[in-house]
């Protein structure tokens, strides 16, 4: 089976600046890959390129069977990107935001309800305009939209930001459930304590390239991580 | 595409209804423009009546800029802009939905504005159907052109000041033809009014088609 994400020496430009400077990465379905690295390493750019929001100018980039160099827009409706800024409308309620997200895909509005309930967005909370919710609650609404749309590839950029302990546990459960169903998860984080245990692999980015790769907590005990570092670039 | 357009239009109209910007800012701005124009022309009823169609359409044009700015602002954040691109909604559907929402807002605004013109200037329509057809065609053109240029300026920091500079010159034919068609509707001169509809109709169709074709590339570029 072809990998969900296949990048070979992929270069993506942010203006004139090469945000990705020759990235090699392959991610299989049902795999969780955590991307770590300092600010400016290219983590967010990697996720945006995989979502078809940043043009790949050279190299190979195939995501969910779509060649991003030929048609980057083709992959967009198949991925779920949870970025720094949530794709939410402040004036709409939590339930309305999630319903809009699922109806945009042509799914029935009722698809939103189980996802809202899974994220604890029920009752008055579901009927509250998103602009009046806390950062953590907004994050939950964005996650509910992601779960309801059930994309084959989750692209999570600092997904723990704003979430409390219960929210972080719930996020871990959602990732595990999605992966068990064959979903591929690519996750960038500055919080390895929270994300490495969820990962099959942990890749380190620096200067827009992959600098190192190691096994994640799903494949190896955390204590063994340091011994399994493998430098790839 | 129609399903997408309905979804986007419903979302934009719901947001407008909740934020009440159109009600508390755009509508008062339009009415204020009318009153100020009336002050500028002085108390002579004849001058006011003769100028009424032009003043009405000037107020509509200025309000169009505000309505389009609001429409762009709904997706001005990085999250919502990306969210719409990732949503799976056809760009042509997004254009049609946003233009439809602006169209409906402007039609309601025109109804209120015309009531204001009737009260302030003492003007009455002798051929209402002509004014209605002119309004519908003109508003399709205004909404379509506005949303296209809104998309063009969406990613720019200076979009709020740039948008009027882009939109107002382009919609000048609507000001001219709309004013003349309404003047004909007031005077009961159907033949003259219909000739101005021949400008408003093609303008509306041209910008509607342009928007359906260009909105996707403009969205990518912004």
């Amino acid at each position: 089976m072809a990998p969900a994400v296949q990048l070979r020496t992929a270069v993506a430009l942010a203006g004139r600046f090469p945000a990705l400077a020759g990235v090699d990465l392959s991610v299989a379905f049902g795999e969780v890959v955590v991307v770590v690295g300092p600010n400016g390493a290219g983590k967010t750019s990697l996720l945006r390129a995989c979502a078809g929001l940043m043009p790949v100018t050279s190299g190979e980039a195939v995501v969910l069977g779509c060649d991003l160099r030929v048609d980057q827009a083709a992959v967009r409706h198949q991925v779920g990107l949870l970025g720094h800024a949530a794709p939410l409308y402040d004036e709409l309620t939590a339930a309305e935001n999630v319903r809009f997200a699922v109806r945009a895909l042509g799914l029935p509005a009722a698809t939103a309800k189980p996802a809202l309930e899974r994220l604890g967005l029920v009752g008055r909370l579901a009927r509250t305009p998103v602009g009046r919710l806390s950062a953590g609650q907004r994050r939950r609404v964005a996650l509910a939209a992601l779960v309801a749309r059930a994309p084959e590839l989750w692209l999570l950029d600092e997904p723990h930001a704003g979430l409390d302990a219960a929210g972080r546990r719930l996020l871990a459960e959602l990732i595990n459930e999605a992966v068990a169903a064959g979903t591929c998860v690519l996750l960038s984080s500055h919080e390895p304590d929270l994300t490495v245990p969820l990962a099959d692999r942990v890749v380190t980015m620096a200067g827009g390239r992959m600098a190192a790769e190691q096994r994640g907590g799903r494949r190896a005990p955390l204590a063994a991580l340091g011994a399994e570092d493998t430098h790839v670039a | 595409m129609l399903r997408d357009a309905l979804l986007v239009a419903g979302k934009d109209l719901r947001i407008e209804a909740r934020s009440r910007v159109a009600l508390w800012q755009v509508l008062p701005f339009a009415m204020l423009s009318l009153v100020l124009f009336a002050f500028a022309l002085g108390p002579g009823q004849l001058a006011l009546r003769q100028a009424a169609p032009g003043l009405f359409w000037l107020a509509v044009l200025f309000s169009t800029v505000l309505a389009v700015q609001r429409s762009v602002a709904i997706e001005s954040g990085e999250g919502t802009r990306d969210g719409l691109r990732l949503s799976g909604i056809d760009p042509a559907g997004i254009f049609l939905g946003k233009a439809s929402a602006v169209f409906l807002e402007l039609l309601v605004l025109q109804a209120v504005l015309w009531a204001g013109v009737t009260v302030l200037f003492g003007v009455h329509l002798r051929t209402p159907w002509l004014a209605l057809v002119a309004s519908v065609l003109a508003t399709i053109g205004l909404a379509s052109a506005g949303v296209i240029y809104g998309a063009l300026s969406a990613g720019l920091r200076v979009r709020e000041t740039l948008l009027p500079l882009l939109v107002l010159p382009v919609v000048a034919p609507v000001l001219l033809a709309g004013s003349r068609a309404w003047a004909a509707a007031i005077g009961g001169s159907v033949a003259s009014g219909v000739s101005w509809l021949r400008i408003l109709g093609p303008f509306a169709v041209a910008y509607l088609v342009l928007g359906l074709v260009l909105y996707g590339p403009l969205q990518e570029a912004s």
Side-chain angles (χ1 to χ4, degrees):
Chain A
M1 191 178 186
V5 175
Q6 180 72 60
L7 304 178
R8 287 200 185 112
T9 59
V11 174
L13 300 178
R16 292 179 184 174
F17 174 74
L20 300 182
V23 168
D24 292 296
L25 179 68
S26 178
V27 188
F29 286 98
E31 190 178 25
V32 182
V33 173
V34 169
V35 186
V36 296
N39 290 335
K43 304 186 295 296
T44 298
S45 297
L46 174 66
L47 300 187
R48 288 179 64 79
C50 288
L53 293 175
M54 181 178 272
V56 175
T57 53
S58 70
E60 182 187 327
V62 179
V63 175
L64 301 176
C66 302
D67 188 338
L68 299 186
R69 293 200 60 197
V70 176
D71 183 7
Q72 63 169 351
V75 77
R76 287 178 188 161
H77 68 282
Q78 300 179 62
V79 306
L81 173 67
L82 186 65
H84 295 288
L88 302 173
Y89 298 98
D90 284 352
E91 292 85 355
L92 300 185
T93 67
E96 287 168 344
N97 267 289
V98 179
R99 278 201 293 268
F100 177 77
V102 296
R103 289 184 64 201
L105 267 189
L107 300 170
T111 316
K113 197 178 175 194
L116 286 160
E117 288 171 353
R118 185 75 177 87
L119 271 296
L121 298 164
V122 291
R124 200 163 57 91
L125 204 53
R127 297 191 300 271
T128 304
V130 161
R132 291 190 210 154
L133 298 179
S134 71
Q137 289 168 330
R138 289 171 63 90
R139 206 66 168 165
R140 280 177 182 252
V141 179
L143 272 168
L146 180 76
V147 169
R149 285 168 65 96
E152 290 181 277
L153 172 61
W154 287 18
L155 301 165
L156 310 178
D157 197 1
E158 302 287 352
H160 294 94
L163 289 177
D164 57 14
R168 291 173 175 194
R169 275 196 301 277
L170 182 56
L171 176 62
E173 286 173 24
L174 292 172
I175 289 174
N176 286 331
E177 287 168 15
V179 169
T183 302
C184 166
V185 179
L186 193 54
L187 186 158
S188 86
S189 179
H190 283 296
E191 299 180 273
D193 292 351
L194 295 170
T195 52
V196 170
L198 299 171
D200 291 295
R201 286 184 290 142
V202 179
V203 295
T204 304
M205 288 191 77
R209 290 189 175 88
M210 296 304 172
E213 181 174 323
Q214 62 191 41
R215 287 184 182 181
R218 287 163 64 92
R219 288 193 180 170
L222 270 176
L225 285 174
E228 296 190 37
D229 272 8
T230 308
H231 286 271
V232 295
Chain B
M1 187 176 72
L2 286 177
R3 183 193 64 85
D4 288 345
L6 280 174
L7 186 64
V8 172
K11 182 256 300 170
D12 279 14
L13 288 172
R14 185 171 288 167
I15 289 172
E16 272 313 313
R18 300 245 169 97
S19 70
R20 297 181 185 176
V21 171
L23 184 65
W24 296 118
Q25 291 179 25
V26 181
L27 199 54
F29 169 79
M31 292 301 292
L32 191 61
S33 303
L34 268 189
V35 173
L36 291 175
F37 290 147
F39 280 155
L41 287 174
Q45 278 293 312
L46 184 62
L48 285 176
R49 281 181 189 166
Q50 283 176 339
L55 301 184
F56 170 82
W57 281 103
L58 260 181
V60 171
L61 250 60
F62 291 147
S63 305
T64 299
V65 173
L66 291 186
V68 171
Q69 277 176 339
R70 277 294 304 158
S71 175
V72 173
I74 290 172
E75 268 95 20
S76 61
E78 187 189 332
T80 44
R81 198 164 57 232
D82 284 348
L84 207 53
R85 291 164 78 189
L86 294 166
S87 66
I89 299 177
D90 179 17
I94 297 174
F95 164 77
L96 203 54
K98 295 192 88 62
S100 299
V102 172
F103 169 81
L104 287 173
E105 289 167 21
L106 289 178
L107 272 193
V108 172
L109 176 112
Q110 285 172 48
V112 177
L113 262 185
W114 187 248
V117 168
T118 306
V119 172
L120 286 172
F121 303 165
V123 176
H124 298 280
L125 292 168
R126 290 172 67 184
T127 322
W129 69 264
L130 182 60
L132 184 65
V133 173
S135 267
V136 168
L137 292 177
T139 310
I140 291 172
L142 289 175
S144 301
V147 171
I148 290 172
Y149 286 99
L152 188 67
S153 63
L156 304 174
R157 281 184 203 166
V158 293
R159 68 171 184 272
E160 283 167 9
T161 46
L162 183 64
L163 189 64
L165 290 176
L166 293 174
V167 171
L168 290 176
V170 167
V171 297
V174 173
L175 174 67
L176 177 68
S179 303
R180 297 295 169 88
W182 270 63
I186 291 166
S189 167
V190 175
S192 165
V194 169
S195 68
W196 290 105
L197 296 185
R198 292 197 187 106
I199 292 177
L200 293 173
F203 185 94
V205 172
Y207 272 97
L208 195 59
V209 173
L210 266 180
L212 292 172
V213 174
L214 289 182
Y215 195 81
L218 287 174
Q219 199 183 22
E220 289 299 306
S222 68

